[in-house]
Amino acid sequence: MTAHLSTPPAQPWMRVTAWLRWSWPWVLLLVIATTALAVPWLAGEQSADFAAALRAPGSGAVLGTDHSGYDLGVRTAQGLRISLVMAAVCAVVSTVIGLVIGIGAAMAGGWLDALVMRAVDAVNALPHLVLGVVIAAMWRGEPVAIVASIALTHWPAVARVVRAELLATRSAGWIEMAHLAGATRTFIATRHLLPAVTGQALVAMTVLLPHAVWHETTLSFLGVGLSPDAASLGTLLGQARGDVLTGAWWTLVVPGVALIVTALACMAAGSTLRRRMAPPTGEVW
């Protein structure tokens, strides 16, 4: 008599663990975004109170106050909101530029493809931060300049990924079968090729988020990003350089921790999304 073996059903705790492995970065990002939106709204309009400047964390201000007397927790939430919005816009613009250039190079082929990729190599070889500082310094304090300085230096990675994925899909057997069946190039491009690169573009955009957060913060910290009166993580950290020398350590720690947690959450979200969309290797998610 032959025994029939069957796979035991997954235990509830195993399902919860598998869900947490995929979802915790996105839950953390949702919490960060909700905090950035809700805290300033609940706190209402703030005004400078120099009599309350640089108060240590306590009952009056849970996370302390900055050198202008603003509640540092509220101010950090405002800066986090601005930094996230700027980073999201930069990531979307970079992805769109890389998507257009990568698709154009792959579809053109031949010498034009080679020429475009050499241009991609040239842009990728430039020091991104230095080039970003130059672009942002030309229109100091303008959000458009910050978006341009980050987007124009981060699209080559997206273009490379999209081009490679598109070339691999074009050489697949089922694409050749579609050609033989009489499908037009427009039909194949819209129904098969573009959906194939959409997932890679989404992964690239998510991976770009932490880079955009770091670069926007660095530009504002160096004084070529947003104006000092605008609450972003970079401007708060820039102002904390002088305050921390007087013993006001919280002015550096609070926005610094917010920056690190946000960047790590974005990196973890991009990593999990990349693994999720990778070809199956037998691992259960």
Side-chain angles (χ1 to χ4, degrees):
M1 182 172 60
T2 304
H4 296 279
L5 298 179
S6 59
T7 303
Q11 298 296 326
W13 66 268
M14 295 177 61
R15 295 179 179 178
V16 172
T17 302
W19 181 82
L20 286 176
R21 289 179 62 188
W22 155 248
S23 301
W24 74 263
W26 302 98
V27 174
L28 181 57
L29 278 178
L30 179 62
V31 171
I32 292 173
T34 303
T35 302
L37 292 174
V39 170
W41 179 71
L42 293 174
E45 188 70 23
Q46 286 199 109
S47 60
D49 183 7
F50 293 100
L54 297 181
R55 286 185 177 176
S59 57
V62 178
L63 297 179
T65 61
D66 64 4
H67 69 282
S68 297
Y70 291 107
D71 188 303
L72 190 59
V74 178
R75 194 73 168 164
T76 301
Q78 293 173 342
L80 189 59
R81 178 179 58 190
I82 293 177
S83 296
L84 283 175
V85 170
M86 295 286 293
V89 173
C90 292
V92 170
V93 174
S94 296
T95 302
V96 171
I97 295 174
L99 199 61
V100 171
I101 294 177
I103 292 175
M107 297 300 292
W111 66 268
L112 186 57
D113 180 23
L115 180 63
V116 171
M117 295 315 296
R118 297 296 75 77
V120 170
D121 292 337
V123 174
N124 204 35
L126 296 173
H128 291 172
L129 181 57
V130 175
L131 184 60
V133 169
V134 172
I135 297 174
M138 295 175 65
W139 297 277
R140 183 171 298 183
E142 294 293 332
V144 176
I146 299 176
V147 172
S149 66
I150 299 174
L152 294 178
T153 56
H154 286 72
W155 60 264
V158 182
R160 281 188 169 278
V161 170
V162 169
R163 174 182 174 272
E165 183 69 21
L166 199 55
L167 290 177
T169 305
R170 283 180 59 186
S171 61
W174 51 278
I175 293 293
E176 296 295 332
M177 293 179 62
H179 275 296
L180 295 175
T184 62
R185 295 185 63 179
T186 303
F187 179 86
I188 293 176
T190 56
R191 295 297 183 89
H192 300 299
L193 298 182
L194 289 181
V197 301
T198 301
Q200 295 298 328
L202 180 60
V203 172
M205 183 173 64
T206 307
V207 172
L208 278 174
L209 276 175
H211 293 279
V213 170
W214 281 115
H215 275 253
E216 186 279 325
T217 301
T218 303
L219 292 175
S220 297
F221 178 80
L222 294 175
V224 295
L226 297 175
S227 59
D229 59 327
S232 78
L233 295 180
T235 58
L236 292 177
L237 291 172
Q239 294 166 2
R241 286 181 297 182
D243 297 336
V244 75
L245 296 177
T246 65
W249 53 267
W250 56 90
T251 61
L252 179 66
V253 171
V254 174
V257 170
L259 172 63
I260 293 173
V261 172
T262 302
L264 290 178
C266 292
M267 292 171 63
S271 179
T272 55
L273 184 61
R274 180 186 297 172
R275 293 199 304 268
R276 185 76 173 185
M277 302 193 68
T281 59
E283 185 176 1
V284 179
W285 290 89

